[in-house]
Amino acid sequence: MGDKSVNIQNDDSILFEIESGKVYREGADYNYNFTGDVTDACIDAARYASPYQIRLSLGEEIINLVDGKSNIQDKLKIAELDKENVIAAYLATYQHYSIDDISNLLASEDGYLASIGVGLAVIYDNPLIIPQSNIEGLYKYFRSREINADELNHFTSDEFIDYSFRRMLKEERVIFTWMINNLIYLVDIDAISIDKNSEFFVSLLRDDDYQNETHMTLFLLVLKKKPNFIEDILGLNLFIDPFTKQYNYSKWLKEVRKFRFISNLKDSLPEGYSSGRTLLFDRRKSDLYKINKNDRSLEM
């Protein structure tokens, strides 16, 4: 009885240390600074960190306490006390989980456990076990993994599309290549209405200064589906004037690159397509090259 009482006191002491932010062993080689919520921490740990190094960084008493628990839920309730999500990252990457384990976490009414479940679904490349009602969880997967063809229908609800587009524009500092690829797949199967979401695509082009071949593939597909979407693109206000070039050359250079990107898109339009905006664009392009004929940045 006395030993059991001592053990409970020791456990309480360890839990208090965790809650106070003291999770690392003395002299640990690595400290981790996971950004975002616990789902992001699990995903980033799997992508960028060594599970073994995370384990070595944690205090030995913490490892013993966590590993001594017989079920996943008890382990994760300890991890929830760690506001830096290092213990959660350890559990998500060092342990093995079955599909049933992950599904049970995703079905939990406990938001923390469900969030861990989303992280594990990403780590194990299995979006189909995320309930379609879990829009936030689906978005976490969408922004973290390229979706396979047989998984696309899981991401086609209007609620998901609307939610994802808002999040992408407002929160994502970088739109990764796999996210653009996911958009390409959804546009290709007509899961995304170009008319309804034209503002999103215009904003995607307006706010990104570094377009690449994947962006080109996306916008060419959008124009193939709806050629007059070019009118929305041509409405962008690009600063390619001599004044901007003189006083903010880096901005001018980015705007010129974007202008050239749009020019390539315009050239893909069906033969004979013409409008007031396309004619105005052609004049701006001619003026741009006349004024800057000796600028090598305009070389094709």
Side-chain angles (χ1 to χ4, degrees), residues 51-269:
Y52 183 66
Q53 290 296 344
I54 298 176
R55 179 182 172 88
L56 287 180
S57 297
L58 291 169
E60 185 176 356
E61 290 182 329
I62 293 175
I63 292 294
N64 291 336
L65 179 62
V66 172
D67 288 354
K69 299 299 180 181
S70 59
N71 66 69
I72 298 168
Q73 286 78 5
D74 287 343
K75 295 174 185 284
L76 292 175
K77 294 313 287 184
I78 296 173
E80 189 173 6
L81 298 174
D82 171 22
K83 304 308 178 187
E84 300 299 318
N85 295 320
V86 182
I87 299 175
Y90 159 66
L91 288 171
T93 57
Y94 197 81
Q95 313 274 316
H96 174 75
Y97 298 88
S98 68
I99 296 300
D100 286 342
D101 290 334
I102 303 172
S103 295
N104 289 335
L105 291 173
L106 286 165
S108 174
E109 294 182 0
D110 185 312
Y112 183 84
L113 297 182
S115 294
I116 296 286
V118 171
L120 291 172
V122 173
I123 293 171
Y124 284 75
D125 289 321
N126 193 335
L128 300 183
I129 60 176
I130 303 174
Q132 284 188 289
S133 59
N134 188 343
I135 301 298
E136 168 70 13
L138 289 178
Y139 178 70
K140 291 283 189 181
Y141 194 98
F142 182 88
R143 69 187 290 271
S144 303
R145 286 280 190 267
E146 189 164 326
I147 303 168
N148 296 321
D150 60 348
E151 300 164 343
L152 285 175
N153 286 334
H154 211 57
F155 297 84
T156 56
S157 74
D158 289 341
E159 186 180 1
F160 170 75
I161 297 294
D162 292 344
Y163 179 87
S164 298
F165 284 6
R166 289 197 306 271
R167 290 286 299 272
M168 286 178 69
L169 292 179
K170 291 181 179 179
E171 298 179 20
E172 302 298 342
R173 291 174 297 175
V174 178
I175 306 296
F176 293 104
T177 298
W178 58 82
M179 297 173 71
I180 300 297
N181 280 331
N182 289 340
L183 290 174
I184 291 171
Y185 303 147
L186 291 175
V187 170
D188 191 42
I189 64 170
D190 297 317
I192 298 175
S193 166
I194 308 303
D195 285 323
K196 183 179 177 182
N197 296 288
S198 61
E199 184 178 346
F200 166 79
F201 289 108
V202 171
S203 298
L204 188 64
L205 180 55
R206 181 194 63 216
D207 298 339
D208 195 328
D209 291 328
Y210 301 99
Q211 293 78 34
N212 56 35
E213 290 183 5
T214 311
H215 290 85
M216 180 62 71
T217 300
L218 172 62
F219 281 96
L220 287 175
L221 180 59
V222 170
L223 285 171
K224 181 180 178 182
K225 298 281 184 179
K226 185 175 183 287
N228 66 353
F229 173 67
I230 194 68
E231 304 296 329
D232 298 322
I233 297 176
L234 295 180
L236 285 173
N237 185 25
L238 299 179
F239 295 92
I240 58 173
D241 55 279
F243 182 85
T244 302
K245 180 180 182 180
Q246 182 175 353
Y247 291 100
N248 194 342
Y249 184 75
S250 62
K251 178 179 180 178
W252 178 86
L253 193 57
K254 290 177 182 178
E255 297 283 86
V256 165
R257 289 171 181 163
K258 192 170 298 185
F259 187 88
R260 289 170 56 187
F261 181 89
I262 294 172
S263 179
N264 290 332
L265 292 178
K266 178 186 165 296
D267 289 344
S268 75
L269 291 171

